[in-house]
Amino acid sequence: MDTAPTAPAGSDLDRVRVARAGLCRLVEPTDAAAMLLLAVLGPVAALEVAAGHRPIGPAEHAAFVRAAADAGLRPHQVQIGRCRERWAARARSLDPGADLGTAARHGGWFAVPEDPDWPGALADLGLSAPVGLWGRGDRRLLPFPAGRAIAVVGSRDCSTYGRQVALDLAGSLAGRGWTVVSGGAYGIDQAAHAAALAAGTGFPPTVSVMAGGIDRLYPRGNDALLRDVEARGLLLSEVAPGCTPSRYRFLQRNRIIAALTAGTVVVEARWRSGAQSTAHRADALSRPVGAVPGSVHAGTSAGCHRLVREGAAVLVTDADEVLELVAPLGAALTPERTCPAADVDGLSHPDRRLLDALPLTAGSRPDRLAAVAGLSPREVLGGLHRLEERRLAERAGEGWRRRR
Amino acid sequence: MDTAPTAPAGSDLDRVRVARAGLCRLVEPTDAAAMLLLAVLGPVAALEVAAGHRPIGPAEHAAFVRAAADAGLRPHQVQIGRCRERWAARARSLDPGADLGTAARHGGWFAVPEDPDWPGALADLGLSAPVGLWGRGDRRLLPFPAGRAIAVVGSRDCSTYGRQVALDLAGSLAGRGWTVVSGGAYGIDQAAHAAALAAGTGFPPTVSVMAGGIDRLYPRGNDALLRDVEARGLLLSEVAPGCTPSRYRFLQRNRIIAALTAGTVVVEARWRSGAQSTAHRADALSRPVGAVPGSVHAGTSAGCHRLVREGAAVLVTDADEVLELVAPLGAALTPERTCPAADVDGLSHPDRRLLDALPLTAGSRPDRLAAVAGLSPREVLGGLHRLEERRLAERAGEGWRRRR
């Protein structure tokens, strides 16, 4: 079954947008029966049926049942009568025009898969793709490439350490032109957005995918930050204006963060946390996941360590390692770590033993060096020559010593 | 080629011990030609040839060349003439009786593979097995089982964090009857030995494998600690009394630590460090390696993170995870981490949404709850019943609210 909608034009697109806005309000994210109805009937007919404005037609129902079987849904999940009981609760107050108006009053918009600027990466979610995306910010930024975006996420109750790592990582990634996607929450999310805005050269530098409606900036304390994100990046949400960011929506929201990015970095996470869910959703979408290590005494890092131990995430310590993780094979290998070369680099084992045997002050004669290092006279003479060339050994009287 | 020596008796064993003591002095650890000579000719004849007391016989030489080819050694490594030039430097002052006497004066002894109490795990080193082991401490402890021993190693210049983790890990492991093996150095090694002695119930609680001779306790600052190790555990070394702990010997020593244990934990290590070598040696012996994570800002943890990233070590955060690593499959699975159960554990998705929708103070009526949660009246009523049973919801007037 091809779930990709074809692009309608003009007033058709308007009708589609209104219908999808209505569905956004009517059903919770990833409601399997609703998503299937939408895929089989299209947005306008799906809303009519879901809202109870008309019964489902026999041919429509047959196609729906076939599609449900194909999608592996269980019969009780797709009994239209039961589903409509669930959808009916919100159908009474359904007013998509009002929701679109609310969004517009906040300078927002509502993008749908039928729009040419719909982010293509969301198609990877299949039947779990969002019905539409409510957004604030310059809409021209919406088709930002997932291949140049990274999710930086983590606990709200982060440590000073985690906050610093998030600032460093997000700043470094954004400074190299990557879009930093996060969830707009306190803690790690906040640090990631802020650092990306400060360093960002990407278009957009940062995107916040929120769990509640875009008409209210949540949490309150991040109001100024989220306004900055809106000014230079994007605020996105799959739920209608006015919807509260419930725990369930937080978890569902994470799949969108995963789908909109090339990979996810969990900076800090407790043993059980939403970040675990984000990581597993990214993994399910074949998006790589990185986790930042920390103190074994810090509960704020326990979830990261768990992800690494369970093989759900790769340990990452800096932006280079994050980019190596998300880049196509070989495209961004971590540069060889620069560290002071040891003076023994490239020396053979016998020459190392000779170097070990050299005294630091008074010189030692070659026969004595041979005994100390367990080498033949020939090996000692050749070795002294090589060590002298590397400025590791020097003559001292009749003997040799280590050069400092 | 079977390199396992058979057990000689009485004066034969004495001659073997003296010969091996001589070889210890004459050749550096893992000198491939010397080890092969030892395996082919036996200790007494090997020492005679290596020390230049007599030429190698034609039949002996033929067997030696065959064994060298079997072992994959290159011709220049086994030219006896060249090797003897190397060994000759120390042959002049060779006096194994004096070395054995020095050891005895320090309350020490010299164990050889022909002894019945020789640690069997060292056989895993094959041709790289030590010629013998000089030791101090109660010799009856020598055949301690590698299967109940763990190496806890790391940097000398450790951080306060690393020191604390080493103390915790070694204390916990020793407290459960495991033998903690380390290298007697400052830093992580020191903490591991000290904690094992404090908590130890094993026999021995701790073993120090040193890189220099057992007659001098090195480093000086660990003198008191190493005397305590001697009193309740073992000090071991493969090099003869009087030998200095050179850098080369430090690295060679690490293979013995790896072989004597069921696995190695690297607590802290710089990007390039001896701990890297220990880990790779353990890996080569099919001994599992664990590495403790730390701050990404700490150079002292960079080597641990590197080991995990390169797949050379498994991330471990506590003694349970270390034991899971080294235990035979399934024998010591990490106990499920205890953490406060979340109130949503075991709730269905609809019930979670209902819980999210419940107000905290004034009650909300079921029809309102249905609209907020996107559920049918039937789902709401069933859900409220289940949440009430779990003491998560309670009646409030005509409606329902969350119970705190």
Side-chain angles (χ1 to χ4, degrees):
Chain A
M1 178 182 56
D2 186 3
T3 59
T6 49
S11 62
D12 275 355
L13 185 51
D14 288 343
R15 286 177 63 217
V16 161
R17 195 178 317 279
V18 171
R20 284 189 175 267
L23 284 165
C24 266
R25 167 69 65 186
L26 206 61
V27 306
E28 283 293 315
T30 73
D31 179 319
M35 296 307 115
L36 206 61
L37 207 60
L38 174 58
V40 173
L41 272 60
V44 176
L47 180 64
E48 289 169 358
V49 170
H53 298 162
R54 70 163 173 88
I56 190 168
E60 288 173 333
H61 190 250
F64 176 73
V65 169
R66 263 198 317 276
D70 289 348
L73 297 184
R74 285 166 295 174
H76 81 269
Q77 290 182 279
V78 289
Q79 285 177 26
I80 285 287
R82 286 206 160 214
C83 294
R84 276 166 75 157
E85 289 178 19
R86 169 167 87 231
W87 301 327
R90 292 176 180 166
R92 285 186 286 276
S93 58
L94 193 67
D95 188 351
D99 287 338
L100 289 165
T102 301
R105 272 201 310 283
H106 287 87
W109 33 264
F110 180 58
V112 295
E114 290 79 1
D115 286 323
D117 61 356
W118 180 254
L122 292 171
D124 292 354
L125 289 168
L127 264 187
S128 297
V131 172
L133 280 179
W134 303 84
R136 282 167 68 171
D138 184 345
R139 173 142 176 190
R140 288 171 300 178
L141 298 173
L142 181 58
F144 70 91
R148 289 289 289 174
I150 291 179
V152 177
V153 300
S155 303
R156 277 168 290 185
D157 62 333
C158 69
S159 70
T160 311
Y161 165 72
R163 180 169 177 77
Q164 188 58 50
V165 174
L167 288 171
D168 291 347
L169 276 183
S172 182
L173 293 166
R176 298 189 211 185
W178 287 73
T179 298
V180 173
V181 179
S182 194
Y186 289 134
I188 298 298
D189 290 12
Q190 186 187 50
H193 288 307
L197 284 170
T201 60
F203 304 100
T206 193
V207 170
S208 177
V209 183
M210 305 190 299
I214 55 155
D215 54 324
R216 48 179 88 174
L217 300 183
Y218 177 90
R220 279 283 190 86
N222 277 355
D223 191 86
L225 173 69
L226 293 174
R227 286 189 192 282
D228 285 348
V229 173
E230 177 185 18
R232 297 187 40 218
L234 292 170
L235 302 176
L236 299 176
S237 174
E238 67 175 319
V239 298
C243 286
T244 53
S246 66
R247 183 148 47 172
Y248 178 80
R249 288 173 188 150
F250 269 115
L251 292 176
Q252 295 301 321
R253 180 272 315 265
N254 293 340
R255 80 191 194 287
I256 300 181
I257 292 181
L260 285 175
T261 53
T264 294
V265 184
V266 183
V267 177
E268 276 192 333
R270 295 194 168 271
W271 180 255
R272 50 188 309 162
S273 69
Q276 297 281 328
S277 136
T278 308
H280 288 295
R281 286 188 183 274
D283 197 47
L285 286 172
S286 302
R287 307 288 205 266
V289 180
V292 175
S295 164
V296 300
H297 302 130
T300 40
S301 286
C304 289
H305 297 153
R306 179 185 186 182
L307 286 170
V308 171
R309 277 181 58 76
E310 292 175 352
V314 170
L315 185 150
V316 291
T317 67
D318 61 20
D320 284 328
E321 291 175 358
V322 171
L323 291 181
E324 179 178 335
L325 185 71
V326 299
L329 208 61
L333 286 178
T334 303
E336 267 300 294
R337 195 162 294 242
T338 54
C339 64
D343 52 14
V344 298
D345 279 355
L347 288 185
S348 68
H349 276 191
D351 285 358
R352 286 183 190 218
R353 298 213 310 257
L354 181 59
L355 184 65
D356 284 346
L358 283 174
L360 293 171
T361 46
S364 179
R365 293 163 58 111
D367 57 339
R368 170 78 190 140
L369 289 171
V372 171
L375 298 171
S376 70
R378 189 190 330 212
E379 287 171 316
V380 167
L381 294 179
L384 286 172
H385 176 70
R386 286 184 291 275
L387 294 179
E388 187 180 26
E389 270 192 338
R390 297 178 65 144
R391 309 171 72 87
L392 293 169
E394 63 186 2
R395 285 170 199 277
E398 294 191 359
W400 292 75
R401 69 180 171 201
R402 183 147 185 177
R403 184 164 171 177
R404 312 203 88 173
Chain B
M1 179 180 55
D2 186 4
T3 58
T6 49
S11 64
D12 277 354
L13 185 50
D14 288 342
R15 286 177 61 219
V16 160
R17 194 178 317 279
V18 171
R20 283 188 176 268
L23 284 165
C24 266
R25 167 69 65 186
L26 206 61
V27 307
E28 284 293 316
T30 73
D31 179 318
M35 297 306 116
L36 206 61
L37 207 60
L38 175 57
V40 172
L41 272 60
V44 176
L47 180 64
E48 288 170 358
V49 170
H53 299 162
R54 71 164 173 87
I56 190 167
E60 288 173 334
H61 190 251
F64 176 73
V65 169
R66 261 199 317 277
D70 288 350
L73 298 184
R74 285 167 294 176
H76 81 269
Q77 290 182 278
V78 290
Q79 284 177 24
I80 285 288
R82 286 206 160 214
C83 293
R84 277 165 75 157
E85 290 178 19
R86 171 167 85 231
W87 300 328
R90 291 175 180 167
R92 285 186 287 275
S93 58
L94 193 66
D95 188 351
D99 287 338
L100 290 165
T102 302
R105 270 201 312 283
H106 287 88
W109 32 264
F110 180 58
V112 296
E114 290 80 1
D115 285 323
D117 61 355
W118 181 253
L122 292 171
D124 292 354
L125 289 168
L127 264 188
S128 297
V131 172
L133 280 178
W134 303 85
R136 283 166 67 169
D138 184 345
R139 174 143 175 188
R140 288 171 300 178
L141 298 173
L142 181 59
F144 69 90
R148 288 289 289 175
I150 290 179
V152 177
V153 300
S155 304
R156 277 168 290 185
D157 62 333
C158 70
S159 70
T160 310
Y161 165 72
R163 180 169 177 78
Q164 188 57 50
V165 174
L167 288 170
D168 292 347
L169 276 183
S172 181
L173 293 166
R176 299 189 210 185
W178 287 73
T179 298
V180 172
V181 179
S182 194
Y186 289 134
I188 298 298
D189 290 13
Q190 184 187 52
H193 288 307
L197 285 170
T201 60
F203 305 100
T206 192
V207 170
S208 176
V209 183
M210 303 191 299
I214 55 155
D215 54 323
R216 48 178 88 174
L217 300 182
Y218 177 92
R220 279 280 191 88
N222 277 355
D223 191 86
L225 173 69
L226 293 174
R227 286 189 191 282
D228 285 349
V229 173
E230 177 185 18
R232 296 185 42 216
L234 292 171
L235 302 177
L236 298 176
S237 174
E238 66 174 320
V239 298
C243 286
T244 53
S246 66
R247 182 150 45 173
Y248 178 81
R249 287 171 188 151
F250 267 115
L251 292 176
Q252 295 301 321
R253 179 272 316 264
N254 293 340
R255 81 191 192 287
I256 300 181
I257 292 182
L260 285 175
T261 53
T264 295
V265 184
V266 183
V267 177
E268 276 192 334
R270 296 194 167 271
W271 181 255
R272 49 188 311 160
S273 69
Q276 297 281 327
S277 136
T278 308
H280 288 296
R281 286 188 183 274
D283 196 47
L285 286 171
S286 302
R287 306 289 204 267
V289 180
V292 175
S295 164
V296 299
H297 301 130
T300 39
S301 286
C304 288
H305 297 153
R306 181 185 185 182
L307 286 170
V308 171
R309 277 181 57 75
E310 292 176 352
V314 170
L315 186 150
V316 291
T317 67
D318 61 20
D320 284 328
E321 291 175 357
V322 171
L323 291 180
E324 179 178 336
L325 185 70
V326 299
L329 209 61
L333 286 178
T334 302
E336 266 300 295
R337 195 160 295 242
T338 53
C339 64
D343 51 15
V344 298
D345 280 355
L347 289 185
S348 68
H349 275 191
D351 285 359
R352 287 184 190 216
R353 299 216 308 258
L354 181 59
L355 184 65
D356 285 345
L358 283 174
L360 294 171
T361 47
S364 179
R365 294 162 58 111
D367 56 339
R368 170 77 189 141
L369 289 171
V372 170
L375 298 171
S376 69
R378 187 191 330 212
E379 286 170 316
V380 167
L381 294 179
L384 286 172
H385 176 70
R386 286 185 291 273
L387 294 179
E388 187 180 27
E389 270 191 338
R390 298 178 65 142
R391 309 170 73 86
L392 293 170
E394 63 187 3
R395 285 170 200 276
E398 294 192 357
W400 292 75
R401 69 180 171 201
R402 183 146 185 176
R403 184 164 171 176
R404 313 202 89 174

